[in-house]
Amino acid sequence: MLKLLTSSQMREADAYTIANKPIQPVDLMENASRAFVELFMEDFSDRTLSISVYCGTGNNGGDGLAIARILHKEGYERIKVIIARFSEKSSVDFNINLDRLKFLDLEIKEIYRAANAGPENADIIIDALLGSGLNKPLDGEWKDLVLWLNTLEGTKVAVDIPSGLKAEGTMAGADPVFHADLAITFQRPRLNFLLPDSSTHLKYFEVAEIGLDEAFIQNAEGSYYLLSEDDIRDRLRARLPFSHKGSYGHALLVAGSPETMGAALLCSKACLYTGAGLTSACIPAEGLNALNAAMPEVMAVVREGNRLPASLQWGKYQSAGIGPGLGTGDKSLHVLKDTLKNFAKPIVIDADGLNLISSNYELMQLVPEFSVLTPHVKEFDRLFGEHTSWWERLETGIDRAVTLGCTIVLKNRYTIIFTPEGRCLFNPTGTPAMATGGMGDVLTGMIVSFVAQGYTPEDAAIMGVYLHGIAGESVQGYVVPPSRLIEALPEVILRYL
């Protein structure tokens, strides 16, 4: 897992690298600027594009000056540099890079008021005004300049972080922030890039490796991490010779209602395709024909109304999941209560299972320790109270996972896993094409399957979330139907063995 840092910790990583590599600050800035340009050239290869680089007089502005110089060397000749001198102060590295820039045939304009910035019609506008050093909303000339830049039509690219955007913490929607189409950030994603609140100000981001000391970063204090493919390779176990269906566990899925059998079918199919040795679906009698027709490999445990069959042998299952398509009526509540009372091992609870608990919160005390809760944002707020920002949800998620002794999977573009140890793990995989009904049912089936195979619930959640996203990426198209994602799972999982 890659440790994610706050802005103050990132500055500490800069200082540590400078002191221990050793490397001069201006040379580290040069590394960062070159790494920025490498990614920039992949995205904008046309050397005829006109580019305006707006620089403050601190180190973010120094980055901007170095970027302008390197772009010019790489053949981008239509470059203009605008320096916002809204302060008498300037950093040492800014001054060094300004001196280097003066030897080139580039247009350099200095402004002392935002009103003097125009006219501007560049194809690309690069924001190197303030970076992450800001700890208050933009005001005065900075605010006026950023708001004016936001009105321009050119493609907007931020150096490290859009000016005015907080790197972490609660973001106020009304705060003036540079609206970037792309941010090229350094070494690690900024925490707020991974939260939906940033989407008003930032469409996409890329991460440039700049040579900071990785050992220092990984050993920094903090709860925030980014999953990587190594986390899957380190956990996933190959199937051994002479193994059989009993080697990979028996999963029970309590799901579906007469009106919503699709959720139960998707969940069951995902469990099967993720590798559970045996999969049983506890479904209403009305859904039996659909299950048999769609998946003859999945066994049925038929329930009548609110009654689970008396013959149900809870002890023979290694894992259980409940909720997809279950419904929220009295019959469904009875089924949930019976499941929580009779299945003593960790349970994966999703969808209507969570909705029933949120309206009958006393049931939370029946949830076995180390269970996995998989809410989307509305279900999360129903369970744990309304939130005004995603940063608040991070704080609540960490607290609730520790207090309940459960793993909480908050589904999102960058799904967040809160662990009982108090860690907050962001998943980088997936695609907006996965934004369609049924994806959560698939994820539930995958996590239940991994638990049945003997993985800890926390590891099952990590592997399920990551591989769910990778499988979605592997299905090309404007939209990824959940059923097609499921069919990609066996091949996708093999990549990590």
Side-chain angles (χ1 to χ4, degrees), residues 66-127:
I67 287 165
R69 169 171 46 82
I70 297 169
L71 284 172
H72 183 269
K73 183 178 179 181
E74 291 291 340
Y76 295 84
E77 296 185 354
R78 299 174 64 196
I79 297 176
K80 178 173 65 174
V81 175
I82 300 91
I83 299 173
R85 287 201 179 271
F86 300 157
S87 167
E88 295 180 358
K89 298 179 181 179
S90 59
S91 72
V92 172
D93 295 332
F94 170 87
N95 292 331
I96 291 173
N97 274 292
L98 181 58
D99 288 339
R100 291 174 177 176
L101 200 64
K102 289 177 178 177
F103 292 101
L104 302 180
D105 183 22
L106 290 181
E107 179 182 352
I108 301 175
K109 177 180 180 179
E110 297 193 356
I111 60 173
Y112 297 87
R113 294 186 57 204
N116 301 131
E120 180 61 82
N121 57 4
D123 297 315
I124 298 175
I125 296 164
I126 296 179
D127 163 29

Side-chain angles (χ1 to χ4, degrees), residues 66-267:
I67 287 165
R69 169 171 46 82
I70 297 169
L71 284 172
H72 183 269
K73 183 178 179 181
E74 291 291 340
Y76 295 84
E77 296 185 354
R78 299 174 64 196
I79 297 176
K80 178 173 65 174
V81 175
I82 300 91
I83 299 173
R85 287 201 179 271
F86 300 157
S87 167
E88 295 180 358
K89 298 179 181 179
S90 59
S91 72
V92 172
D93 295 332
F94 170 87
N95 292 331
I96 291 173
N97 274 292
L98 181 58
D99 288 339
R100 291 174 177 176
L101 200 64
K102 289 177 178 177
F103 292 101
L104 302 180
D105 183 22
L106 290 181
E107 179 182 352
I108 301 175
K109 177 180 180 179
E110 297 193 356
I111 60 173
Y112 297 87
R113 294 186 57 204
N116 301 131
E120 180 61 82
N121 57 4
D123 297 315
I124 298 175
I125 296 164
I126 296 179
D127 163 29
L129 291 170
L130 294 170
S132 61
L134 197 69
N135 56 13
K136 62 179 182 178
L138 295 177
D139 59 10
E141 297 295 335
W142 295 112
K143 176 181 176 180
D144 292 344
L145 179 59
V146 163
L147 292 179
W148 174 73
L149 290 173
N150 287 344
T151 68
L152 304 178
E153 294 184 358
T155 300
K156 300 178 180 67
V157 181
V159 179
D160 193 21
I161 186 170
S163 291
L165 182 66
K166 287 185 177 181
E168 65 277 333
T170 300
M171 292 176 279
D175 286 350
V177 175
F178 181 80
H179 291 173
D181 297 293
L182 170 68
I184 298 178
T185 194
F186 301 133
Q187 203 75 26
R188 291 288 194 274
R190 299 295 184 165
L191 283 164
N192 274 341
F193 287 4
L194 302 171
L195 300 177
D197 291 341
S198 69
S199 64
T200 305
H201 315 297
L202 175 63
K203 292 181 180 178
Y204 305 102
F205 69 87
E206 297 173 359
V207 180
E209 166 67 45
I210 65 172
L212 297 184
D213 191 286
E214 274 294 324
F216 178 87
I217 292 174
Q218 287 299 106
N219 290 319
E221 293 185 2
S223 303
Y224 306 105
Y225 295 83
L226 185 70
L227 296 180
S228 72
E229 65 176 28
D230 287 343
D231 297 311
I232 310 307
R233 297 188 191 280
D234 291 345
R235 287 168 172 77
L236 193 61
R237 301 189 291 265
R239 296 195 166 209
L240 299 176
F242 302 108
S243 59
H244 51 84
K245 62 186 178 184
S247 305
Y248 303 107
H250 193 165
L252 174 67
L253 297 163
V254 184
S257 66
E259 298 82 12
T260 52
M261 270 302 296
L265 296 178
L266 287 170
C267 188

Side-chain angles (χ1 to χ4, degrees), residues 262-338:
L265 296 178
L266 287 170
C267 188
S268 300
K269 188 175 182 179
C271 187
L272 172 70
Y273 276 58
T274 304
L278 294 167
T279 300
S280 289
C282 180
I283 57 172
E286 295 90 336
L288 184 58
N289 287 340
L291 179 66
N292 287 337
M295 278 173 291
E297 306 94 335
V298 174
M299 295 175 287
V301 178
V302 179
R303 63 180 195 263
E304 297 284 350
N306 65 352
R307 295 193 307 278
L308 293 169
S311 59
L312 188 57
Q313 299 175 26
W314 295 96
K316 72 178 185 181
Y317 301 104
Q318 281 68 55
S319 68
I322 186 168
L326 188 66
T328 56
D330 291 341
K331 293 179 181 179
S332 301
L333 179 60
H334 189 86
V335 170
L336 175 63
K337 287 180 178 178
D338 271 4

Side-chain angles (χ1 to χ4, degrees), residues 1 223 225 227 415-419 423-427 462:
M1 296 178 191
S223 303
Y225 295 83
L227 296 180
T415 289
I416 308 161
I417 302 172
F418 304 102
T419 75
R423 294 186 301 172
C424 175
L425 317 177
F426 290 90
N427 175 59
I462 289 170

Side-chain angles (χ1 to χ4, degrees), residues 14-25 27-28 31 211 213:
D14 284 346
Y16 184 89
T17 302
I18 290 167
N20 290 275
K21 262 201 169 179
I23 185 173
Q24 293 299 312
D27 295 326
L28 184 59
N31 290 349
D213 191 286

